[in-house]
Structures are given as structure tokens and as C-alpha cells.
Amino acid sequence: MPGSPAPEAAPVHLAVYDTFADWETGHTTAFLARGGYRVRTVGPTLTPVTSIGGLRVAPDLTLDELAPEDASLLILVGADRWDTGDDLAPFAEKARAFLDAGVPVAAICGATAGLARAGLLDDRAHTSAAAPYLAATGYRGAARYVETDAVTDRGLVTAGPTEPVAFAREVLGLLGVFEGELLDAWYRLFHDSDPAAYEVLAAADGDE
């Protein structure tokens, strides 16, 4: 059903850190993997981290080891720690390096606040949990805030914590896992439980 990346496509990197919101990227990483992308986890160190839901994850590599040229995408997931200090600021700086290199970044929930503090939302259309949440960071991009489920602008995907399916839709479309009618059908199936959307996807799967 999903499309396939070029054989030489670099991995997608999922940032993981203590208190990361494990529900926010499940659709995204599952269908990236089914679409042929290798998903690797990147942490502050190689020490296992624990999600909000109590899942322990051992990172595949450290943030210092991650280079934009070795990745197809960097995913920054929400976490309590985005709002309780500067521990995760290096992940926002890595996002800057990715965007400067022309490699896309996808941020959801609290990670959008981290990017706002780093100035990365000042000149891009974006969204988050709510406009006042980002305004509290003191950033200068409030005029570019969009009241919608998810936004993609110049290689940067943003979404709020209640929109993991819309977040996945933007990422899957950006990397070409689904396109056009199939992308719309995928979203309608997983977001709206639309049986007609299942028929579209099943028909496409049968044509392969």
C-alpha cells in the first residue's frame, strides 16, 4: 500500500528523551517503516530513556553523532521537559542545522515550543497546541500561527498534541509514502474511520 523510498534513502531519526509523549508519533513511525524507511532513535546519550507511558527506549545513537546528511527527516516529539528547562534545547539547535541543510524536521506538541524559543518559527507558517502556548515563549512568529491540525512550511512540519494522525499525514506526504488520493484516504481512514477510505487503500494495494 505505501510507496517506497529510493533504495539509498537515509534513515528517519526519532528524537527520544525522558517524558517523551509516546502516543504522538506512533502512526508516523509505523507507516514510515511500512513505507520502507528505516527509523532510528536518537537520544541525549545512549542511556535508555523513559516515555510518559513508562516505555523504556535505548537510543540507537546520540544527538552529537547525528548529521543532517545522514538523515531523511528528524522527528521531535513532545515531552514535559520542553517546558521545564533548557535540557532539550540542543535538539532544537539540531533542528536548525537540519533545516539549514535542507533536510526536513517534524515537531509536535512541546517540541514546537522548543523550536519557537530557538526562533525557528518566526518566519514559517506553523501550529501547535494553542496560540497562547507558543506566545508564552516570547517568540516573534505569532503572526504566522495557523489554527489548523498540522502545517508544513519549507520543510518544517508542526502539529499539536491532539493531532498525531494529521502530523503523520504531513510527514507521510512530505516523504512520498502516500500522495494525492491515497494520502487523503489514509487520513480519512485513521482519523475519521471512513470505510470508503479503506476501500480506496485496499484497491490500491490490490493493484500492486
Side-chain angles (χ1 to χ4, degrees), residues 184-201:
D184 176 68
W186 182 91
Y187 178 73
R188 287 188 291 112
L189 177 62
F190 286 94
H191 188 267
D192 303 324
S193 300
D194 183 350
Y198 174 79
E199 294 173 5
V200 173
L201 293 171

Side-chain angles (χ1 to χ4, degrees), residues 125-194:
H126 59 275
T127 193
S128 182
Y133 172 63
L134 289 189
T137 68
Y139 84 131
R140 295 180 295 178
R144 307 299 303 276
Y145 189 91
V146 183
E147 291 285 358
T148 191
D149 53 11
V151 174
T152 301
D153 187 7
R154 291 162 40 221
L156 177 61
V157 176
T158 52
T162 62
E163 298 294 343
V165 181
F167 182 69
R169 178 196 64 207
E170 296 299 303
V171 171
L172 298 176
L174 186 64
L175 294 190
V177 175
F178 292 109
E179 298 176 327
E181 182 185 29
L182 290 181
L183 182 61
D184 176 68
W186 182 91
Y187 178 73
R188 287 188 291 112
L189 177 62
F190 286 94
H191 188 267
D192 303 324
S193 300
D194 183 350

Side-chain angles (χ1 to χ4, degrees), residues 9-15 28 32 37 42 66-77 91-108 115 120 124 151-158 167 170-177:
V12 167
H13 288 84
L14 172 68
T28 302
L32 285 171
Y37 282 94
V42 54
L66 177 61
E69 58 268 25
D70 298 327
S72 290
L73 173 75
L74 173 62
I75 301 172
L76 298 179
V77 66
F91 285 89
E93 289 306 312
K94 186 66 71 171
R96 185 192 308 279
F98 268 61
L99 294 170
D100 287 348
V103 181
V105 173
I108 186 168
L115 297 190
L120 296 176
R124 283 181 169 84
V151 174
T152 301
D153 187 7
R154 291 162 40 221
L156 177 61
V157 176
T158 52
F167 182 69
E170 296 299 303
V171 171
L172 298 176
L174 186 64
L175 294 190
V177 175

